[in-house]
Amino acid sequence: MTAHQTVPAPLPAAELAALTGRLYADGIIGLPGAFTRDWVRRLGEDIDTAFAEARARPDGAVGRGPNRFYVEIHPEQLRGFTDLVTHPWITAVAESVLGPAYRIVEVGFDVPLAGAVDQPWHRDFPMPAETARDRRLTSLAVNVTAVDTEPDMGPFEIAPGTHWDDGSAFEHGMFPPRDTYPRYRELATRKFPKMGDISIRSALTVHRGTANHSARSRPVLVLGLDAPGAGNDARHDTAVTHGFWAALPDSVRAHLDCPVVDVLRPITQKHTIEGLVMGESGDAG
């Protein structure tokens, strides 16, 4: 069985244009059934292993609010890394939006555990000057759920179109004032992806994780992609071993600009988001 459920061939030009048009309009697009459920089960196993390891050492996982964690990992900690970064839907959109020399800068995952609360509305980093000036997206985030998302599991909530919002009044450039929350609640849509579904979004699109009222965790893989010069690689510590690098296809090595080392060192998390680590609740009335 192949990992992909789609044929690894270029997307038709009209389909790609429609996808990128929706991405620019809404700030998020999704593809159901991109991978098999067996592939996602292996992904979930790898996330569970990495999460346990990260939580067992200092600064291995960073808090994103109560009972909610983010962990950055190295590519070879995922058995399906090459399958993911060569998926034709991902590569076509990345090349179209970020350019043919786009970079893979982040591999990690978010885990809202039971008891996670509503996050404050936020974007993941301040709006770059190029985006504010030219309405050009310089980074994308690919999300892959490791579980079937149910309504009580704290689904991801996003306000389409808000990636263009002027963030000059946002705290730290990321957190909109609370008096604007009613607008985001009005615009927002909750996402209920199933195992095998993927999405691509601008991390500037205002979003939040919601309260997890279930007894289960909701791990989500995050793959970060940059246009050349976007600079998000400075927030991350991706590395690969010589053996892993040698086994990668040329098409992947062309986009993975990172240290090649003899031995991987565990990553000390540094991509914190002010406010989320302080345990704030998302809505105040």
Side-chain angles (χ1 to χ4, degrees):
M1 181 188 300
T2 60
H4 296 146
Q5 290 195 7
T6 55
V7 177
L11 293 179
E15 182 179 349
L16 179 57
L19 285 172
T20 57
R22 281 174 43 216
L23 182 57
Y24 266 85
D26 294 342
I28 186 169
I29 52 176
L31 178 67
F35 293 99
T36 67
R37 293 181 69 87
D38 283 343
W39 186 93
V40 178
R41 288 188 187 96
R42 291 191 293 273
L43 172 67
E45 292 169 359
D46 292 345
I47 289 175
D48 288 346
T49 298
F51 190 39
E53 185 277 330
R55 295 189 74 187
R57 57 183 170 83
D59 300 317
V62 64
R64 291 281 174 84
N67 298 319
R68 192 184 298 269
F69 297 91
Y70 170 80
V71 176
E72 182 181 357
I73 58 175
H74 296 298
E76 58 200 88
Q77 291 179 259
L78 296 178
R79 285 169 286 176
F81 174 76
T82 299
D83 294 327
L84 177 67
V85 300
T86 59
H87 192 286
W89 191 77
I90 294 173
T91 59
V93 173
E95 289 178 4
S96 178
V97 174
L98 304 177
Y102 71 88
R103 316 306 297 171
I104 299 167
V105 298
E106 173 190 11
V107 185
F109 52 85
D110 283 302
V111 184
L113 300 174
V117 302
D118 287 338
Q119 290 179 315
W121 292 101
H122 66 281
R123 49 180 45 150
D124 289 343
F125 42 78
M127 180 179 286
E130 301 93 327
T131 305
R133 182 182 62 243
D134 305 326
R135 291 178 72 89
R136 179 168 65 88
L137 297 178
T138 61
S139 66
L140 294 172
V142 180
N143 288 155
V144 187
T145 179
V147 296
D148 292 335
T149 306
E150 301 295 340
D152 64 348
M153 293 174 68
F156 181 77
E157 193 168 38
I158 190 166
T162 56
H163 50 310
W164 305 123
D165 282 10
D166 177 12
S168 58
F170 289 14
E171 186 177 1
H172 305 292
M174 296 181 290
F175 293 87
R178 288 184 176 269
D179 61 8
T180 66
Y181 278 18
R183 172 173 173 260
Y184 295 115
R185 288 197 296 267
E186 179 69 23
L187 291 172
T189 178
R190 293 194 174 190
K191 300 297 183 180
F192 301 98
K194 302 297 185 184
M195 293 170 62
D197 299 349
I198 61 177
S199 66
I200 300 179
R201 63 184 173 90
S202 167
L204 299 175
T205 312
V206 176
H207 62 278
R208 66 175 184 167
T210 62
N212 186 354
H213 298 293
S214 77
R216 298 161 292 172
S217 64
R218 185 181 61 80
V220 178
L221 183 74
V222 181
L223 176 71
L225 308 174
D226 263 12
N232 289 306
D233 54 339
R235 299 185 174 97
H236 306 289
D237 288 314
T238 300
V240 296
T241 60
H242 291 282
F244 185 79
W245 178 260
L248 289 172
D250 290 342
S251 61
V252 176
R253 287 198 294 259
H255 298 287
L256 188 60
D257 184 15
C258 69
V260 182
V261 299
D262 293 327
V263 178
L264 293 175
R265 294 184 177 181
I267 294 175
T268 297
Q269 307 303 322
K270 60 184 179 181
H271 184 42
T272 60
I273 297 180
E274 293 291 338
L276 300 188
V277 298
M278 297 167 60
E280 295 181 11
S281 182
D283 275 320

